[in-house]
Amino acid sequence: MQDIVSAIVSGNATPEDFAALALPGSYRAVTLHKSETGMFTGLAGRDKDPRKSVHLDEVPVPELGPGEALVAVMASSVNYNTVWSSLFEPLPTFDFLSRYGARSPLARRHDLPYHVIGSDLAGVILRTGPGVNAWKPGDEVVAHCLSVELESPDGHADTMLDPEQRIWGYETNFGGLAELALVRANQLMPKPAHLTWEEAGTPGLVASTAYRQLVSRNGAGMKQGDNVLIWGASGGVGAFATQFALAGGANPVCVVSSEQKAEICRAMGAEAVIDRSAEGYKFWKDEHEQDPREWKRLGKRIRELTGGEDVDIVFEHPGRETFGASVYVTRKGGTIVTCASTSGYKHEYDNRYLWMSLKRIVGSHFANYREAWEANRLIAKGKIHPTLSRTYALEETGQALYDVHRNLHLGKVGVLALAPQEGLGVRDGELREKHLTAINRFRAPVPAAG
Ligand code: NAP
């Protein structure tokens, strides 16, 4: 493994050098164990501690199949799907792996008593399988997390509609929180040259998701001048939605839960920011009943910030806790676009506000290759920036998951895999220099010297 790291860090190894490097027989990977899926039974979601369920194991290198690539992972990230899988919620991911494994002899590789998790990576290709022509050993890449088979016609207009659509590292094995990862070649994209490994390894999943959800015609199809209410606007998907809204000429109305997060939204360029903690919104009177007066208070606050206008789009993901309010505050004819239900997936809203005002609810999930590519292209051009706030070592992944589960983080947190330290991997110093302030915007403030 050391020879692989040395070749990558040297920055001048050729494709032939990479192809000639010997592959190790095993690698270190963050895993969940099938034997432990019952360990949190009876505990409330909040009390489940991912530090107890994730392991750092030495696992065998998987066999490389047609159309696949084996990648040396320099850095990865924690996504909320990794939080869900580490809590075995809503289902243990081993059910996904065994269903996938039953599909074909090649897919059987994924059905193991351990699950290598993680749905992001930045790294270097070591080997490609038969039929891969667009990529070669030595290419510096990031990977998006859409895994598709495309044997059915259903997925050919929009690959997210493939009946065999899976999220790599969540519904498949050999994910990114590891020293090596197995991906399909059609997950690969060029690593943005002006970013470090850990910066490049964090946007993939969330930026692609936000791009489809907000910008793509498959999502809300945002246009210039739209008012967009963004929940969790400094979090994983929300901070990219905020940037896409600003870059696309829309007006984000950012909702966050602290002054520090509000400050980050302003630093990104947002003018309308709501601190939901300071303003004390309480959309549910109790477990069963919502409080429409609180929806109205939010609507009034939005109008104060927009000069009297309602929002054209609500960028939804908190789910149960906010959904009633989201449907209410959307303008007549507007769109509520949702990709998640962090606070609960049984939503309730007053349907009169939907049908009488001709609003639409649109479901959105990850992104197709083209949408992921568009998001990555904007990052590579320095028009959209990573939101890395902190980097953890591979052995600290449990703590990183705990911090995201407890909402103690900002933007995204990165995880170093083979990268021996932060700050490596920049190939375009000039572009980086131009955007350094924006790239570092989410970094935890460095304490003043002295
Ligand atoms: P994240 O980094 O934790 O950010 C979510 C933010 O939402 C939080 O920081 C919080 O911000 C806000 N929030 C959380 N609970 C809330 C509540 N009850 N009411 C209002 N705001 C709340 O997570 P993420 O990466 O953005 O992911 C968010 C959700 O999207 C997760 O459930 C994840 O699984 C899902 N997701 C789905 C897809 C997909 O393809 N379908 C892709 C990515 C993510 P404040 O505290 O600042 O308000």
Side-chain angles (χ1 to χ4, degrees), residues 79-81 84 167 205-206 209 231-238 255-258 261 276 317-318 321-322 339-343 364-367 404 407 409 411-412:
N79 281 297
Y80 220 92
N81 69 356
W84 295 125
I167 299 296
L205 186 148
V206 285
T209 303
W231 294 104
S234 72
V237 286
V255 186
V256 289
S257 65
S258 72
K261 290 177 172 183
R276 67 182 172 100
H317 51 90
E321 216 157 295
T322 54
C339 77
S341 293
T342 313
S343 65
S364 189
H365 186 40
F366 188 59
V404 173
N407 198 14
H409 66 299
K412 290 284 301 174

Side-chain angles (χ1 to χ4, degrees), residues 191-359:
K191 170 189 165 287
H194 66 302
L195 299 181
T196 63
W197 294 112
E198 61 279 8
E199 289 160 358
T202 49
L205 186 148
V206 285
S208 310
T209 303
Y211 184 88
R212 181 183 176 104
Q213 189 177 349
L214 187 59
V215 181
S216 167
R217 274 171 289 183
N218 290 317
M222 183 194 81
K223 62 180 187 348
Q224 292 176 48
D226 278 351
N227 293 317
V228 185
L229 184 75
I230 302 171
W231 294 104
S234 72
V237 286
F240 282 97
T242 301
Q243 293 190 65
F244 288 133
L246 288 163
N251 312 312
V253 179
C254 296
V255 186
V256 289
S257 65
S258 72
E259 181 47 35
Q260 185 194 18
K261 290 177 172 183
E263 208 36 66
I264 282 193
C265 292
R266 288 187 205 106
M268 281 191 282
E271 289 172 9
V273 184
I274 295 175
D275 180 342
R276 67 182 172 100
S277 296
E279 297 183 21
Y281 293 102
K282 199 163 175 285
F283 300 123
W284 288 80
K285 288 184 195 158
D286 56 41
E287 220 178 292
H288 308 287
E289 203 190 343
Q290 298 193 57
D291 186 350
R293 284 173 311 179
E294 286 291 270
W295 303 346
K296 287 181 187 157
R297 185 159 75 93
L298 178 68
K300 188 161 169 267
R301 181 76 180 108
I302 291 169
R303 284 183 182 173
E304 276 168 26
L305 292 167
T306 57
E309 295 177 343
D310 294 328
V311 289
D312 300 272
I313 299 168
V314 179
F315 185 86
E316 246 293 337
H317 51 90
R320 181 169 175 82
E321 216 157 295
T322 54
F323 207 80
S326 294
V327 170
Y328 177 80
V329 300
T330 303
R331 70 172 286 183
K332 204 165 182 154
T335 304
I336 303 99
V337 63
T338 174
C339 77
S341 293
T342 313
S343 65
Y345 52 79
K346 299 234 163 126
H347 297 182
E348 281 177 32
Y349 61 89
D350 186 332
N351 201 34
R352 291 170 297 176
Y353 293 115
L354 191 88
W355 100 70
M356 295 292 286
S357 293
L358 302 107
K359 303 177 189 183

Side-chain angles (χ1 to χ4, degrees), residues 133-149:
N133 304 304
W135 304 93
K136 60 182 182 317
D139 285 346
E140 299 191 346
V141 293
V142 292
H144 70 75
C145 62
L146 173 62
S147 167
V148 281
E149 309 291 325

Side-chain angles (χ1 to χ4, degrees), residues 30-57 82-88 94 117 395-403 405-406:
V30 175
T31 63
L32 299 170
H33 293 182
K34 194 174 190 171
S35 57
E36 293 182 347
T37 55
M39 71 191 298
F40 297 134
T41 305
L43 290 179
R46 199 182 151 68
D47 300 327
K48 298 180 182 173
D49 186 342
R51 291 172 299 189
K52 297 191 175 145
S53 56
V54 297
H55 302 270
L56 186 58
D57 290 334
T82 324
V83 175
W84 295 125
S85 46
S86 68
L87 304 181
F88 307 116
F94 291 95
I117 51 179
E395 30 293 82
E396 296 169 325
T397 304
Q399 185 63 44
L401 285 161
Y402 177 88
D403 291 347
H405 180 40
R406 293 287 164 120

